[in-house]
Amino acid sequence: MSDAVAFGVLGPLMLPDGAPPPGPAKHRALLAALLLSPGRMVPIERLLALVWDGEPPASAESVLRVYVSALRKVVDGIQTVPGGYLLAVEPERVDWHRFERLVERGRRAREAGSLAQAADQLRAALEMWRGPALADVDSGQLRRAHAVPLEELRLRALEERVELDLRLGRGGEVVGELRALVGAYPLRERAWAQLITALRLAGRRSEALEAYQEARRVLVDELGLEPGADLRQAHADVLAGREPFVPVPNETPPDIADFTGRAEELRWIGEAVPAAGGAPVHLVVHGAPGCGKTAVAVHAAASAGGAFTGGVLFATLRERAPGAVLEDLLRSLGCPEGAVPAAPTERIRLYRSMTASRRLLVVLDDASDESQVRPLLPTGAGSMTLVTSRSPLSGLEASRAMELGVLSPREALDLLAVVAGRQRVTAEPQAAARIALLCGHLPLALRVAGSRLARKPGWTLEHLAGRLSDSRRRLDELSAGDLAVRGSLALGYDGLAERERTLFRRLGALSAPDFAPWVFGDLEALAEAGLLRSRGLDESGQERYGWHDLTRLYAAELLAAEGREVLAGVAGEILDRARRARQLLLPAEPGSGRTVARTEERVPETTLLRESAGWLRSERRFLSACVADFHTAGLHEAAWRLAFYLAPFYELGAHHDDWHQTTATGLDAARAAGQRQGEALLLRGLADLHRIEGNPQAAAAALRAAQPLVEGLELARVTLRLGLVTGDERAYARCLAVFEQAGDQRGRTDTLRALGALKGDRGLLEESLAGYLALGDPRGEAEALLDLANLHLSARRLPAARECAERRLRINRRLGDRLPEAAGLLVLAGISRAEGRPDPRAAAAALEIFQTFGDRKGAGQALLAMAEAHLDLDEVDEAVEGLERAMGEFVLLSDQRGLTEAEGLAREARRRRGLYGS
């Protein structure tokens, strides 16, 4: 037998196969009475009361038998049983019974949390109705006993199904149905409350408020009563902007009690919170592993979460698919498990619908890329998304990003103090600062170090600092429980493709704090993974990338024994680039073979000279670190050669610390390689450094140590340097003879210049100037011009002095040589004074350059030159101020000669102000 509904009372009477119901009213009442008790006996007395509406005639029982007989011709299955009649039909085939069963199933599904299934069951139940129950049956008793309860059950089922639809985010779909319901039943407060909620969910707030006013007017006019609690609550929810049905979610993880620093970042997040009703805002906080991105996001959410009336959602993304994350977020928004769509696209649509009317803060932690984040952005006005990622997610539309770096030294010590104990940190401030430095001021590393101290009360901070000092064990030491720097770095590394993993490991061979892609190739993927940090374009137009020292240790750990092989593979290109840059700095350098005469300066060559210095400035830290890397890896030849190539650049930029360090390493490498000539070349450069720093004794000692290591032309070059230090004219003469005999044009030109400067011989200096022009060495030309300018100035040949000084400055500026430019400006300032046109501006420009490069001796000389010009102009106050600053510089430098000169000028300045003896 089919389970399809065959009989119906929910509307006009319905018979199987669409057969028309009986015509006579009493026949229809009899059929309705039997259908309302399918398969059960209905007593004759009950039938008589129902068919004749409580007033049966005396002959009613015999007439009833006639009605039954007539009805059997229309409907099969009417049986006579003792005491009454029954209609032999399965209850499920009668619509009212099927309706009640479906309502019951829907309620059970709702109680089980399957809201979508419950709504479907109730919807199917309501679809059984074809009109008012017993619509064509004329029996008051039947209507009162059955039609009225069925209608009430229908209305309750309708309200329950509507509420389920509202909970499922279908508010806009039920507004019309609810308007019809309150129109038919204006006193049903639940229906009014649901209409207000539906309008609220559909974003029609003003209509929701109007609906409440209309409901209240009807209730007051019709019943003289104010709205009940549910209706008032619906109205209050609209006014307060509260979400109906579900509690406001607050999934913010516990805030970190010892959160430290990050004031600027938190201010940036706080200022970005949109106004209620404003466009949604999407923020990305990105940075290297362990820099505290999650801590910042959680702290910001805890601070600002109260502004978001729709609640705070939190999801950890990592490698999870957006669809899986959406399932969690939808449940948090009140969507029960059974109502979450299976298809990702449907989940996105439902999420956008459910967030459209909420003001939410959504925190998405550890996002991998933009495609993972886009489906999770809330759409509600005034909402904000706070994303943390190792990548800046540059492709995320309409988002703003802030990079999270390491903590400041003060913040790092504060964090260590709150974790390890402030008394311990205060008791050992130097050890605490050392721990912070060895942790690279990285929050995760500091937290681990602090936790280890907190769990080891017998340890001193100095003890932990000593353990961290061993770079080979540092990552092992930075582990406490489930907190580990290595684990945080591994997450980023494991997410890389194999090519990028190999690239990251190869970078572990370097100790440099930053580098450009020319060394190993494109590095952007590592920056996107948060393992490297882009530092923008350098002076030569290359993108530079840096990394945290602990990241470098991790890469070196992964590389392990492959380091020497990797460095050997790139050493050739590094040396070649450095050698070519040196050749451009020093054209026709001894040993280069470039001695061809040239008659004009070519612009392309000048551009190359300038770019060479710019490239070296950009790569200074990288190349300096490579000297040590090569030596440590046993690549001694590469180490000493690179140190030698870099010396003239260090001289040009006054990078004396780098010069000292790389020379010391280079000397060790040359000796380890048994390279006597390399050792001599580096000793010669070391002598230049000592001479520039005003230590002629050390310079002479270095040169004398170099002399036994070389012979021939190289010995002459060392001897020339020694003559510069000792002022030995006979040494110059011997060197000149050697160079001329060998045809070494460069050596001859350098000797002529040194001899000319020593003797004050204009002819020798002009001959050296011609030699540098022939060699195509503009920097040598500039130095010869400076010597000539000083010579002309001392001889009061002022026009010639100015011409030489200005020619020199043009060369310096063309090449971008700032420190030599500053030296030329000081000579120009002296020429202006001699001409009777004192002008402090040239010396001021020189001072700015010296200060930029940290050249304190040059700065002191510039301050003296400025003071002299001010005194010549009778600007005594300015002169005194400059002299006080100059004396401060000379005291710090222990430069007695400079201090004496400054004090003499100061006495003259005081004399002019009439402040004798003070």
Side-chain angles (χ1 to χ4, degrees):
M1 180 180 292
S2 172
D3 288 335
V5 171
F7 298 91
V9 297
L10 302 179
L13 293 178
M14 182 181 75
L15 298 181
D17 301 322
K26 294 290 191 287
H27 292 191
R28 290 196 299 275
L30 173 59
L31 177 59
L34 294 172
L35 288 172
L36 289 167
S37 298
R40 298 199 307 271
M41 184 271 288
V42 182
I44 290 174
E45 293 78 6
R46 176 66 174 159
L47 289 173
L48 294 175
L50 294 174
V51 171
W52 277 275
D53 204 11
E55 297 180 358
S59 59
E61 188 171 344
S62 60
V63 174
L64 181 64
R65 287 195 291 271
V66 174
Y67 289 169
V68 170
S69 178
L71 198 57
R72 282 173 172 160
K73 297 176 183 178
V74 180
V75 180
D76 294 332
I78 299 178
Q79 300 176 8
T80 303
V81 294
Y85 298 92
L86 67 80
L87 178 61
V89 62
E90 292 293 329
E92 277 292 306
R93 301 194 69 203
V94 184
D95 63 359
W96 74 266
H97 190 275
R98 176 73 65 88
F99 165 70
E100 289 188 346
R101 288 286 301 276
L102 288 171
V103 170
E104 189 177 324
R105 289 177 191 170
R107 288 172 173 171
R108 284 202 301 269
R110 180 189 61 197
E111 291 169 2
S114 300
L115 301 196
Q117 181 184 352
D120 290 342
Q121 293 286 347
L122 290 172
R123 187 172 289 103
L126 292 165
E127 288 172 355
M128 306 296 301
W129 287 73
R130 296 166 287 105
L134 304 173
D136 57 352
V137 175
D138 186 14
S139 169
Q141 285 206 14
L142 274 174
R143 287 181 179 282
R144 286 189 296 275
H146 296 283
V148 171
L150 282 171
E151 176 64 13
E152 181 60 30
L153 180 58
R154 182 186 77 84
L155 291 174
R156 288 202 307 272
L158 175 59
E159 290 171 344
E160 289 171 18
R161 195 223 75 215
V162 165
E163 182 164 336
L164 290 169
D165 283 337
L166 293 175
R167 289 180 181 274
L168 292 169
R170 302 167 182 165
E173 300 174 18
V174 297
V175 169
E177 189 175 14
L178 285 167
R179 286 200 184 278
L181 182 60
V182 298
Y185 300 91
L187 301 181
R188 292 189 73 88
E189 290 195 40
R190 187 180 186 188
W192 279 109
Q194 289 179 330
L195 174 60
I196 292 168
T197 300
L199 290 167
R200 165 78 177 89
L201 290 174
R204 295 151 67 176
R205 185 171 181 270
S206 60
E207 292 182 57
L209 295 173
E210 291 173 2
Y212 174 78
Q213 295 302 327
E214 183 180 354
R216 180 178 179 278
R217 179 183 55 77
V218 169
L219 292 170
V220 171
D221 290 350
E222 296 292 329
L223 303 176
L225 297 174
E226 289 291 334
D230 289 346
L231 189 50
R232 292 197 309 274
Q233 185 62 53
H235 180 234
D237 287 344
V238 175
L239 291 173
R242 288 190 295 268
E243 300 299 326
F245 307 123
V246 293
V248 175
N250 185 0
E251 299 179 344
T252 311
D255 197 6
I256 299 171
D258 51 17
F259 185 89
T260 303
R262 302 302 192 190
E264 181 182 350
E265 292 84 355
L266 292 171
R267 188 183 311 111
W268 176 74
I269 295 171
E271 291 173 352
V273 173
V281 169
H282 312 307
L283 303 181
V284 179
V285 176
H286 65 99
C291 69
K293 302 179 291 294
T294 302
V296 168
V298 169
H299 192 70
S303 301
F308 297 92
T309 54
V312 180
L313 301 179
F314 186 95
T316 300
L317 304 188
R318 291 184 183 160
E319 300 303 320
R320 297 181 68 199
V325 180
L326 277 170
E327 183 175 3
D328 292 345
L329 295 178
L330 287 169
R331 288 177 183 169
S332 298
L333 291 170
C335 186
E337 182 176 353
V340 176
T345 54
E346 292 301 312
R347 290 182 180 181
I348 294 171
R349 291 178 60 187
L350 180 57
Y351 178 71
R352 288 174 179 169
S353 174
M354 293 187 74
T355 60
S357 59
R358 293 171 165 89
R359 189 185 184 202
L360 289 165
L361 171 60
V362 180
V363 181
L364 304 175
D365 187 40
D366 204 4
S368 298
D369 54 40
E370 295 88 344
S371 63
Q372 189 185 34
V373 172
R374 286 191 189 99
L376 311 178
L377 300 177
T379 59
S383 293
M384 186 166 83
T385 312
L386 184 55
V387 186
T388 71
S389 177
R390 302 183 181 201
S391 162
L393 304 181
S394 305
L396 189 62
E397 299 82 356
S399 66
R400 286 176 272 169
M402 170 174 276
E403 185 171 15
L404 202 63
V406 297
L407 296 173
S408 69
R410 179 183 294 276
E411 290 174 335
L413 288 175
D414 282 345
L415 178 56
L416 187 63
V418 297
V419 179
R422 194 164 296 279
Q423 280 188 330
R424 296 173 73 181
V425 170
T426 303
E428 296 183 77
Q430 292 182 336
R434 191 169 159 220
I435 290 171
L437 188 62
L438 290 167
C439 290
H441 299 159
L442 188 72
L444 176 59
L446 288 160
R447 190 169 294 282
V448 173
S451 297
R452 296 201 69 190
L453 288 169
R455 287 164 175 74
K456 297 281 188 179
W459 280 14
T460 63
L461 271 68
E462 185 61 39
H463 175 72
L464 178 60
R467 296 174 70 102
L468 292 173
S469 296
D470 185 349
S471 61
R472 295 167 299 179
R473 296 181 52 211
R474 193 174 306 161
L475 291 175
D476 293 327
E477 295 292 337
L478 291 174
S479 176
D482 61 352
L483 287 177
V485 174
R486 183 185 284 111
S488 178
L489 292 167
L491 286 174
Y493 174 76
D494 293 342
L496 297 172
E498 185 55 39
R499 177 189 172 280
E500 280 72 34
R501 289 187 189 183
T502 302
L503 177 58
F504 180 71
R505 290 196 303 272
R506 286 167 63 82
L507 288 173
L510 306 174
S511 63
D514 57 54
F515 27 75
W518 65 266
V519 186
F520 284 124
D522 187 7
L523 303 172
E524 189 58 30
L526 298 182
E528 287 289 327
L531 295 169
L532 299 184
R533 181 179 182 182
S534 173
R535 294 185 174 168
L537 300 180
D538 60 26
E539 185 179 347
S540 60
Q542 309 170 104
E543 178 116 20
R544 297 203 74 76
Y545 297 86
W547 55 0
H548 193 276
D549 194 51
L550 295 176
T551 308
R552 179 187 64 77
L553 291 178
Y554 180 63
E557 181 181 276
L558 293 173
L559 186 67
E562 302 173 50
R564 189 180 193 282
E565 179 183 342
V566 171
L567 283 173
V570 297
E573 182 173 3
I574 292 172
L575 286 173
D576 186 58
R577 286 184 179 237
R579 178 184 56 78
R580 285 187 279 121
R582 178 186 173 103
Q583 284 179 347
L584 288 168
L585 284 178
L586 295 177
E589 184 185 13
S592 69
R594 286 192 57 189
T595 57
V596 179
R598 299 178 45 185
T599 58
E600 63 179 356
E601 176 71 23
R602 296 189 185 134
V603 173
E605 179 97 359
T606 300
T607 302
L608 286 173
L609 290 169
R610 186 183 187 107
E611 289 177 352
S612 170
W615 181 81
L616 283 167
R617 279 193 292 272
S618 300
E619 299 293 347
R620 176 174 63 85
R621 295 199 300 175
F622 170 73
L623 294 172
S624 300
C626 281
V627 175
D629 292 340
F630 289 155
H631 181 44
T632 302
L635 302 172
H636 304 306
E637 183 79 15
W640 80 256
R641 286 190 179 278
L642 183 56
F644 171 67
Y645 293 156
L646 293 174
F649 164 65
Y650 293 145
E651 179 178 357
L652 189 66
H655 303 298
H656 294 178
D657 290 342
D658 289 338
W659 197 352
H660 274 294
Q661 184 174 348
T662 55
T663 299
T665 304
L667 283 169
D668 289 343
R671 290 161 184 156
Q675 273 284 354
R676 290 169 61 85
Q677 184 177 9
E679 184 180 353
L681 290 172
L682 289 164
L683 285 169
R684 194 180 76 189
L686 181 60
D688 289 339
L689 174 56
H690 287 315
R691 178 170 52 83
I692 290 168
E693 290 182 331
N695 191 346
Q697 294 82 10
L703 290 166
R704 292 191 178 102
Q707 283 179 318
L709 301 174
V710 289
E711 55 187 19
L713 287 174
E714 188 56 40
L715 178 58
R717 294 183 189 109
V718 172
T719 303
L720 173 61
R721 294 286 203 291
L722 188 58
L724 290 172
V725 174
T726 61
D728 186 351
E729 185 178 336
R730 291 174 299 175
Y732 290 158
R734 291 194 301 271
C735 293
L736 186 60
V738 173
F739 290 135
E740 286 179 341
Q741 183 178 357
D744 188 326
Q745 184 72 4
R746 177 62 186 237
R748 178 179 181 276
T749 302
D750 287 343
T751 307
L752 287 172
R753 180 183 154 228
L755 193 56
L758 177 66
K759 297 173 64 175
D761 190 316
R762 176 178 178 182
L764 291 175
L765 288 174
E766 289 178 343
E767 191 175 353
S768 75
L769 176 61
Y772 289 124
L773 283 167
L775 290 168
D777 182 0
R779 290 190 169 91
E781 178 188 350
E783 294 309 307
L785 284 167
L786 187 66
D787 288 338
L788 278 167
N790 278 318
L791 183 63
H792 290 312
L793 176 59
S794 63
R796 306 294 291 179
R797 294 188 291 268
L798 301 182
R802 177 170 287 279
E803 179 187 357
C804 289
E806 290 178 346
R807 277 181 62 189
R808 174 199 167 86
L809 285 172
R810 285 196 294 271
I811 294 172
N812 296 149
R813 288 165 179 165
R814 191 167 69 240
L815 298 178
D817 293 348
R818 301 300 310 285
L819 279 172
E821 177 188 350
L825 286 167
L826 287 186
V827 173
L828 195 61
I831 294 169
S832 295
R833 285 191 68 220
E835 292 172 335
R837 297 182 299 166
D839 186 349
R841 289 179 297 180
L847 174 63
E848 182 179 355
I849 295 172
F850 286 130
Q851 289 176 332
T852 299
F853 283 83
D855 187 339
R856 307 195 77 152
K857 184 172 183 178
Q861 293 298 327
L863 287 165
L864 281 181
M866 288 173 62
E868 289 173 337
H870 284 306
L871 278 176
D872 289 347
L873 294 169
D874 286 330
E875 296 170 349
V876 179
D877 290 341
E878 289 84 350
V880 170
E881 180 186 353
L883 287 167
E884 289 173 350
R885 292 171 60 192
M887 286 188 284
E889 294 287 359
F890 292 132
V891 168
L892 289 172
L893 292 167
S894 300
D895 185 344
Q896 188 58 47
R897 180 177 177 180
L899 183 59
T900 299
E901 186 177 355
E903 287 174 342
L905 286 171
R907 284 193 295 272
E908 172 62 17
R910 287 194 292 269
R911 184 189 66 79
R912 295 195 187 185
R913 285 206 306 194
L915 302 177
Y916 299 102
S918 60

